[in-house]
Amino acid sequence: MNFKRYLPILQWAPEYGRSQATSDMVAAVIVTVMLIPQSLAYALLAGLPAHIGLYASILPLILYALFGTSRTLSVGPVAVVSLMTAAALAPLAEAGSPEYVAGAILLAVMSGLMLTMMGVFRLGFLANFLSHPVISGFITASGIVIAASQLKHIFGIQASGQNLLTIGQSLVVSLGDTNVPTLLIGSGALLFLVFARKHLKPLLIRSGVGSRLADILTKTAPILAIVITTLVAWLLQLDTQGVRLVGVVPAGLPELTMPSMDLGLWQQLAVSALLISVVGFVESVSVGQTLAAKRRQKIDPDQELIGLGTANLGAGLSGGMPVTGGFSRSVVNFDAGAETPAAGAYAAVGIALATLFLTPAIAFLPQATLAATIIVAVATLIDLPALGRTWRYSRTDFGAMLATIVLTLVHSVEAGIIAGVLLSIGLFLYRTSRPHSAVVGRVPGTEHFRNVLRHKVELCPKVTFLRVDESLYFANARFLEEAVMDLAACEPELKELVLVCPAVNLVDASALESLEAINERLKDAGVRLHLSEVKGPVMDRLKRTEFLSHLGGQVFLSTYEAWQALTGNQGPLKDAA
Amino acid sequence: MNFKRYLPILQWAPEYGRSQATSDMVAAVIVTVMLIPQSLAYALLAGLPAHIGLYASILPLILYALFGTSRTLSVGPVAVVSLMTAAALAPLAEAGSPEYVAGAILLAVMSGLMLTMMGVFRLGFLANFLSHPVISGFITASGIVIAASQLKHIFGIQASGQNLLTIGQSLVVSLGDTNVPTLLIGSGALLFLVFARKHLKPLLIRSGVGSRLADILTKTAPILAIVITTLVAWLLQLDTQGVRLVGVVPAGLPELTMPSMDLGLWQQLAVSALLISVVGFVESVSVGQTLAAKRRQKIDPDQELIGLGTANLGAGLSGGMPVTGGFSRSVVNFDAGAETPAAGAYAAVGIALATLFLTPAIAFLPQATLAATIIVAVATLIDLPALGRTWRYSRTDFGAMLATIVLTLVHSVEAGIIAGVLLSIGLFLYRTSRPHSAVVGRVPGTEHFRNVLRHKVELCPKVTFLRVDESLYFANARFLEEAVMDLAACEPELKELVLVCPAVNLVDASALESLEAINERLKDAGVRLHLSEVKGPVMDRLKRTEFLSHLGGQVFLSTYEAWQALTGNQGPLKDAA
């Protein structure tokens, strides 16, 4: 048993010194200041009481510090996973009800178990089937749905829905009930946060503040908005004006919670938990890899699954909600100088202190302020120009991306992501099932062979060279049969056919049968089949079969050798078996 | 509108002459003699009254002659499709009941519609997802199930079941009820057919019969068995001895039948009809292609779909059952000298005459004789050595094949084929998601580069050449990131990394993002990324992006150029952007 693999803390803890501890603590203070409003806001987004977000930011961070391999990833509630949590729980119970909270806890536990199992069985590669265009389209569409879902808090109205259509309809219906004090708080916070994000840093720098400090101060804007609006709400007793506040939350640290053992509930949430796990893992790993590479460190994706899995188990068992590594917080943690996962553990201590001592103040925090912080945060997730970039690069990728976006917007996050995955697999299979192939000829005076349609090349009427630009497997085996037999049917003079194979990385059993069939059919038609530039592993495998002894022609190491042998001398090189 | 594409008869009919007509008619007589017992037997196998098999061998053959592209394919009931028909209908109604017959007719109509639609929309490639090992395993397992299912007729007992377990159990339970006269007829016919298949031809040749005639006489063995056992049953009045006979069948040609319009029934049969369509199409096309190639003709798979589709529509509308191109009959048709699809139409006339005049005699035909012809026919389908061949060639193909066989035997034909298709797609994706890659070095004194682990090659500590043997797409994009970053993390001296890409046939949007990420991360780590031997179509696509301007290094036409430029001169070739 390799303890260092399963407990990465053993890799760095023995050399942990004072300078690292100082760096980690500074980073932890900054991350804690960011994490408090984000935890509260994302709990609200998930339809949960705000303090659940804090609960999910204590034990999970400590567990990730033990089991995770990224040195700078900041684990906790994040926007997209919170939206997916809300979408999974909406059909089960009313938002905020005890059944709903129990569902969130169960989702965290199930997701934790799934991630841990995937890590133990090294199934991290499954996440690869979420292609970049699908995940990028999914995050963009989720960002739009999240922003739309928060507008009700800004206007102080009731609205519901899991997609843009239902949310929009519901908003329009109740727009007449707008609560003006809420709208003032909400839009004020929104304007302040947008201003802070766009103009505060340059302004501070012009006022003589150092660039690094200006950066950190800018990041504290959400906490400033929270402090100010909370004070205003408390002083003006805005709850009597119909402004919805976070309300009294239980003081003290979370207690150990047992997840529901209702098997029906487990079944109902299984697909959602799997999607939350995979999406959370993909987001987390790509942040982790980007940051690790900047310091020539590396992360182990399979161990990351265990790190995120135990973090989610911890979240569930301490009454929290599903968590993962967040992009913006991790970047802040990295920039603030965090050197080891201990920074995350210190941030957990910060959140624990907040849970112990700040909860009375949090009661007066307007929900509209949290909604404003969410809207500003998710605005950065929305990347519509990516649609254009993908369209220009690849129509098939664009198709998968568009399907994901449209289905996420008009149906649900789950339908969007499932459609995206299935469509991208289907399109890939379709693409490889119609491989590019080209008749090639010799570039005069050289040993190189090029496509006859693109280049001026030498040909020989009795010998045709066909290059196949794809691995040969069941989905395209018959395609190859047709391509070859078409050639043979069109060129009655043909005597020798050379399959040029440098791009054939695999010949599966179906393709082998096709090659056998092609060989036999060509023999019947008086044509010999040759191969050239067959790769080592492919050749090793062919040698285990009888194909090479049936082959009418020869296997040439290079296409030029085949050219010399077949065009120079039309006589029999080898008897057809 | 291209009439010749959609009505292939226009391609050959104008030049149809007397010599072709003579050849076609001779072939038609021989095929008719084979087709009569097969039609009756496969109807029985499908759980249908025997005359339904004759109905399915008249109109479908004429329609295929109009719309099909194979000149020698013999369309009609075949064993595997008949078994699939039985499996689809077993849950719906009792075998032989009017509802059951209506179900078979609907299956033929639905399968006809699906095939025709697939042909019109050129979806023939979908059939390619049935890999050779899956179809071969499926046919072997179906052959075993079919043979087992016919034993009840040989023993004259009642038994039922859709898989080997249920059939076996049911046989064992009722073995005590064996009807001795039936067993005598059944085993006698079986022995005679086995003897005829193995020894009749050599015996005839030794008796001075010409080889060709001996071949044809051997093929008439089933009709001989039928004639003799029918006479015996009639003379000895075996029906009074408990021997089950085919019984009275309606005389005369089939009438136009309207399929059921019960939407619930359509839904229930949809998956079965699709599987029957695809399996039938794959079987038919592979026979058709093999025979066409022998005469340097070709068939058009998309038009074949239309040919088989209209044949099945015709089968359904004339009260028949699903049909497809049969292997053994087509080979006989070819060998007997059929030159055009008109031979099929002439065979249809032969079957129509049989339907008009032979039905009184068919009433006395023992079912045990038909069961014997089925068992002997499907025995040739069972290819267990294919398991060994596939195992030796490829473990993944073997896995898909074994899963198909086991599920078909112990569960059902539909479960077997669906599992086989899903497993082979899954295994292919898994295989491409972990591509082969190798660090390569220069073979001393040449321009060739080979795997450092397999060959003695030159290396340069600051420059690494990594060859990737797979298209780069979403499922393996992150794998590439990991492979490259592992390299960079392991070799602290590394300054230049060259990705050698001759086998990269595709770089999708996900892989492009990964290349961008790799490039940025390597830059952060002080390493420049270069590419070499990028294929034309891949390069065209990369040129449409900003990747090439971000690229830290260069794109080299050949790996040797990269070697010369990078190892000869370590200085900056191009400023990192």
Side-chain angles (χ1 to χ4, degrees):
Chain A
M1 175 108 180
N2 184 349
F3 283 110
K4 283 201 179 173
R5 152 144 155 77
Y6 288 110
L7 269 177
I9 189 175
L10 298 178
Q11 291 165 26
W12 54 268
E15 290 155 25
Y16 197 63
R18 184 184 288 186
S19 89
Q20 285 177 308
T22 313
S23 303
D24 284 348
M25 279 184 201
V26 170
V29 170
I30 296 169
V31 166
T32 305
V33 169
M34 267 187 95
L35 187 51
I36 293 172
Q38 286 193 356
S39 295
L40 300 168
Y42 293 145
L44 192 74
L45 166 57
L48 293 162
H51 67 280
I52 303 280
L54 294 175
Y55 289 1
S57 306
I58 303 173
L59 190 54
L61 278 66
I62 294 171
L63 287 167
Y64 183 82
L66 294 175
F67 294 103
T69 59
S70 165
R71 303 207 160 191
T72 45
L73 195 71
S74 171
V75 170
V78 307
V80 172
V81 166
S82 301
L83 174 69
M84 293 177 81
T85 303
L89 299 177
L92 295 183
E94 202 192 332
S97 66
E99 295 76 34
Y100 192 92
V101 175
I105 288 170
L106 183 56
L107 267 183
V109 169
M110 289 175 75
S111 166
L113 288 175
M114 285 175 179
L115 288 164
T116 309
M117 285 295 118
M118 283 167 74
V120 170
F121 294 110
R122 300 186 158 273
L123 298 179
F125 71 90
L126 285 179
N128 296 344
F129 289 98
L130 271 182
S131 70
H132 273 270
V134 167
I135 196 90
S136 141
F138 177 68
I139 287 177
T140 288
S142 299
I144 294 172
V145 173
I146 291 169
S149 75
Q150 297 307 303
L151 289 177
K152 64 180 176 190
H153 295 299
I154 303 286
F155 287 91
I157 57 182
Q158 300 286 345
S160 62
Q162 299 303 326
N163 64 50
L164 211 53
L165 302 181
T166 49
I167 293 171
Q169 202 174 24
S170 160
L171 279 175
V172 169
V173 167
S174 43
L175 209 57
D177 306 333
T178 301
N179 177 281
V180 177
T182 306
L183 184 57
L184 288 174
I185 295 263
S187 51
L190 202 55
L191 286 173
F192 169 71
L193 290 171
V194 170
F195 164 81
R197 185 174 283 265
K198 290 210 166 165
H199 306 294
L200 191 57
K201 193 177 156 190
L203 203 71
L204 288 169
I205 292 175
R206 260 177 287 158
S207 322
V209 181
S211 166
R212 197 174 144 79
L213 184 61
D215 212 29
I216 290 173
L217 286 175
T218 307
K219 294 282 194 283
T220 62
I223 206 106
L224 204 65
I226 283 177
V227 169
I228 293 170
T229 55
T230 303
L231 280 174
V232 169
W234 177 58
L235 291 172
L236 303 182
Q237 290 200 302
L238 286 183
D239 49 338
T240 63
Q241 309 289 315
V243 174
R244 276 195 288 159
L245 308 179
V246 166
V248 178
V249 301
L253 293 175
E255 288 169 12
L256 185 69
T257 319
M258 285 308 293
S260 160
M261 284 298 149
D262 174 355
L263 270 188
L265 193 59
W266 281 65
Q267 277 186 346
Q268 272 183 295
L269 292 178
V271 172
S272 305
L274 182 66
L275 292 176
I276 287 175
S277 303
V278 174
V279 169
F281 173 63
V282 169
E283 218 186 322
S284 191
V285 157
S286 54
V287 182
Q289 276 178 332
T290 306
L291 298 179
K294 286 189 197 262
R295 295 191 189 151
R296 278 213 183 192
Q297 295 162 348
K298 57 174 292 225
I299 66 169
D300 169 0
D302 285 316
Q303 180 61 26
E304 273 302 282
L305 282 164
I306 295 176
L308 290 174
T310 49
N312 272 295
L313 278 173
L317 298 178
S318 60
M321 56 191 280
V323 296
T324 193
F327 182 74
S328 55
R329 284 199 310 272
S330 300
V331 172
V332 168
N333 194 32
F334 182 93
D335 289 342
E339 291 192 23
T340 76
Y346 302 152
V349 173
I351 300 289
L353 292 173
T355 311
L356 285 172
F357 303 113
L358 292 183
T359 40
I362 288 170
F364 290 94
L365 168 57
Q367 295 191 352
T369 311
L370 291 179
T373 65
I374 293 176
I375 291 173
V376 173
V378 298
T380 60
L381 300 180
I382 300 170
D383 181 11
L384 289 175
L387 269 170
R389 285 198 304 275
T390 310
W391 166 260
R392 279 192 300 279
Y393 185 67
S394 155
R395 301 292 185 271
T396 45
D397 280 313
F398 175 81
M401 188 177 197
L402 190 67
T404 310
I405 293 182
V406 169
L407 272 166
T408 306
L409 290 181
V410 308
H411 193 279
S412 65
V413 280
E414 300 190 347
I417 202 139
I418 290 172
V421 169
L422 293 183
L423 194 59
S424 36
I425 291 176
L427 289 170
F428 170 71
L429 291 174
Y430 178 72
R431 193 150 45 178
T432 56
S433 78
R434 318 213 133 189
H436 183 251
S437 67
V439 172
V440 295
R442 182 189 177 201
V443 180
T446 74
E447 299 188 7
H448 295 297
F449 289 77
R450 290 285 145 77
N451 190 338
V452 294
L453 300 178
R454 290 191 176 203
H455 299 86
K456 203 159 187 165
V457 289
E458 282 182 63
L459 292 171
C460 171
K462 294 189 178 176
V463 188
T464 294
F465 292 83
L466 182 69
R467 195 188 68 210
V468 186
D469 291 349
E470 191 65 69
S471 290
L472 298 177
Y473 79 112
F474 59 87
N476 61 31
R478 256 179 289 266
F479 181 92
L480 180 71
E481 287 182 44
E482 281 162 36
V484 170
M485 297 321 294
D486 276 3
L487 261 184
C490 297
E491 297 181 24
E493 271 194 80
L494 186 65
K495 290 283 170 225
E496 317 281 349
L497 181 76
V498 184
L499 277 188
V500 183
C501 307
V504 176
N505 302 309
L506 167 78
V507 172
D508 80 351
S510 304
L512 176 68
E513 296 254 357
S514 283
L515 285 177
E516 289 268 18
I518 289 169
N519 181 49
E520 292 306 319
R521 289 179 196 167
L522 287 178
K523 266 192 210 171
D524 288 344
V527 180
R528 292 193 306 176
L529 175 69
H530 309 266
L531 305 177
S532 77
E533 298 185 53
V534 180
K535 296 200 153 181
V538 174
M539 197 65 196
D540 288 351
R541 199 166 273 227
L542 288 180
K543 282 182 183 158
R544 297 210 297 268
T545 71
E546 297 186 355
F547 173 68
L548 296 176
S549 67
H550 298 162
L551 188 65
Q554 285 183 287
V555 179
F556 295 99
L557 284 180
S558 79
T559 307
Y560 182 64
E561 269 181 43
W563 173 270
Q564 285 180 304
L566 300 175
T567 63
N569 169 13
Q570 300 288 343
L573 290 159
K574 175 191 161 191
D575 286 339
Chain B
M1 176 108 181
N2 183 348
F3 282 110
K4 282 203 180 170
R5 154 145 153 73
Y6 288 108
L7 269 177
I9 189 176
L10 297 179
Q11 291 165 27
W12 56 266
E15 291 154 26
Y16 197 63
R18 184 183 289 187
S19 90
Q20 286 177 308
T22 312
S23 304
D24 285 348
M25 279 185 203
V26 170
V29 169
I30 297 169
V31 166
T32 305
V33 169
M34 265 187 96
L35 187 50
I36 293 173
Q38 287 194 355
S39 294
L40 299 169
Y42 294 146
L44 192 74
L45 168 57
L48 292 163
H51 67 280
I52 303 279
L54 294 176
Y55 288 1
S57 305
I58 304 174
L59 191 54
L61 277 66
I62 294 171
L63 288 167
Y64 183 82
L66 294 174
F67 295 103
T69 59
S70 164
R71 304 208 160 191
T72 46
L73 196 71
S74 171
V75 170
V78 306
V80 172
V81 166
S82 300
L83 175 69
M84 294 178 81
T85 303
L89 298 177
L92 295 184
E94 203 193 332
S97 66
E99 297 76 33
Y100 192 93
V101 174
I105 289 171
L106 183 56
L107 267 182
V109 169
M110 290 175 75
S111 167
L113 288 173
M114 286 175 178
L115 288 164
T116 310
M117 285 295 116
M118 283 168 75
V120 170
F121 294 111
R122 299 187 158 273
L123 298 178
F125 71 93
L126 285 179
N128 296 344
F129 289 99
L130 272 182
S131 70
H132 274 271
V134 168
I135 196 90
S136 140
F138 177 68
I139 287 178
T140 287
S142 299
I144 295 172
V145 173
I146 291 170
S149 76
Q150 295 308 302
L151 289 178
K152 64 179 175 191
H153 295 299
I154 302 285
F155 286 92
I157 56 183
Q158 299 286 343
S160 62
Q162 299 303 324
N163 64 49
L164 211 52
L165 302 183
T166 50
I167 292 172
Q169 202 172 24
S170 159
L171 279 176
V172 168
V173 166
S174 41
L175 210 55
D177 308 333
T178 301
N179 178 280
V180 176
T182 306
L183 184 58
L184 288 175
I185 294 266
S187 50
L190 202 53
L191 287 173
F192 170 69
L193 291 171
V194 170
F195 164 80
R197 188 174 281 268
K198 292 208 169 168
H199 307 292
L200 191 56
K201 194 176 156 192
L203 204 70
L204 288 170
I205 292 175
R206 260 178 288 158
S207 322
V209 181
S211 166
R212 199 175 143 78
L213 184 63
D215 213 29
I216 291 173
L217 286 175
T218 307
K219 295 282 193 285
T220 62
I223 207 106
L224 203 65
I226 283 177
V227 169
I228 293 170
T229 56
T230 304
L231 280 174
V232 169
W234 177 60
L235 291 171
L236 303 182
Q237 290 200 301
L238 286 182
D239 49 337
T240 62
Q241 311 290 313
V243 174
R244 277 196 288 158
L245 308 179
V246 166
V248 178
V249 301
L253 293 174
E255 286 168 15
L256 186 69
T257 320
M258 286 307 294
S260 160
M261 284 300 149
D262 174 355
L263 270 189
L265 193 59
W266 282 64
Q267 277 185 345
Q268 273 184 292
L269 292 178
V271 172
S272 304
L274 182 65
L275 292 176
I276 287 175
S277 304
V278 174
V279 169
F281 173 64
V282 169
E283 218 188 321
S284 190
V285 157
S286 54
V287 182
Q289 277 177 332
T290 305
L291 297 180
K294 286 189 197 259
R295 295 191 189 151
R296 277 213 183 192
Q297 295 163 348
K298 56 175 294 226
I299 66 170
D300 169 359
D302 285 315
Q303 180 61 27
E304 273 303 281
L305 283 164
I306 295 176
L308 290 174
T310 49
N312 272 293
L313 277 173
L317 298 179
S318 59
M321 57 190 282
V323 296
T324 192
F327 181 74
S328 55
R329 284 199 309 273
S330 301
V331 172
V332 168
N333 195 32
F334 181 91
D335 288 343
E339 292 192 21
T340 75
Y346 301 151
V349 174
I351 299 289
L353 291 174
T355 311
L356 283 173
F357 303 112
L358 293 184
T359 39
I362 288 170
F364 289 94
L365 168 57
Q367 294 190 354
T369 311
L370 292 179
T373 65
I374 294 177
I375 292 174
V376 173
V378 299
T380 61
L381 300 179
I382 300 170
D383 181 11
L384 289 173
L387 270 169
R389 285 198 304 275
T390 309
W391 166 261
R392 280 192 299 279
Y393 186 67
S394 155
R395 299 294 186 272
T396 46
D397 280 313
F398 175 81
M401 190 176 194
L402 189 67
T404 310
I405 292 182
V406 169
L407 272 166
T408 305
L409 289 182
V410 308
H411 194 279
S412 65
V413 280
E414 299 191 349
I417 203 140
I418 291 172
V421 169
L422 293 182
L423 194 60
S424 37
I425 291 176
L427 289 170
F428 171 71
L429 292 173
Y430 177 73
R431 192 150 47 177
T432 58
S433 77
R434 321 213 130 187
H436 182 250
S437 67
V439 172
V440 294
R442 183 189 176 201
V443 180
T446 73
E447 299 188 8
H448 296 296
F449 290 77
R450 290 285 144 79
N451 190 340
V452 294
L453 301 177
R454 290 191 177 203
H455 299 87
K456 206 164 186 162
V457 289
E458 282 181 64
L459 291 172
C460 171
K462 295 188 176 176
V463 188
T464 294
F465 293 84
L466 182 69
R467 195 189 68 210
V468 185
D469 291 348
E470 191 65 70
S471 289
L472 298 176
Y473 79 111
F474 58 89
N476 61 30
R478 255 179 289 266
F479 181 91
L480 181 70
E481 286 181 48
E482 281 162 36
V484 170
M485 298 321 293
D486 276 5
L487 261 185
C490 297
E491 299 182 23
E493 272 194 80
L494 186 67
K495 288 286 168 223
E496 317 281 350
L497 181 77
V498 184
L499 277 187
V500 183
C501 308
V504 176
N505 303 309
L506 167 78
V507 172
D508 81 350
S510 304
L512 177 68
E513 297 254 357
S514 283
L515 285 177
E516 289 267 17
I518 289 169
N519 182 48
E520 292 306 318
R521 289 178 196 167
L522 287 178
K523 265 192 209 170
D524 288 344
V527 180
R528 293 191 305 176
L529 176 70
H530 308 267
L531 305 178
S532 77
E533 298 186 52
V534 180
K535 295 201 152 180
V538 173
M539 197 65 195
D540 289 351
R541 198 166 272 226
L542 288 180
K543 281 183 182 156
R544 298 210 295 269
T545 71
E546 296 185 357
F547 173 69
L548 296 175
S549 66
H550 298 162
L551 188 65
Q554 285 183 289
V555 179
F556 294 98
L557 283 180
S558 79
T559 308
Y560 183 63
E561 270 183 41
W563 173 271
Q564 284 182 306
L566 299 174
T567 63
N569 169 13
Q570 300 288 342
L573 289 159
K574 176 191 162 190
D575 286 340

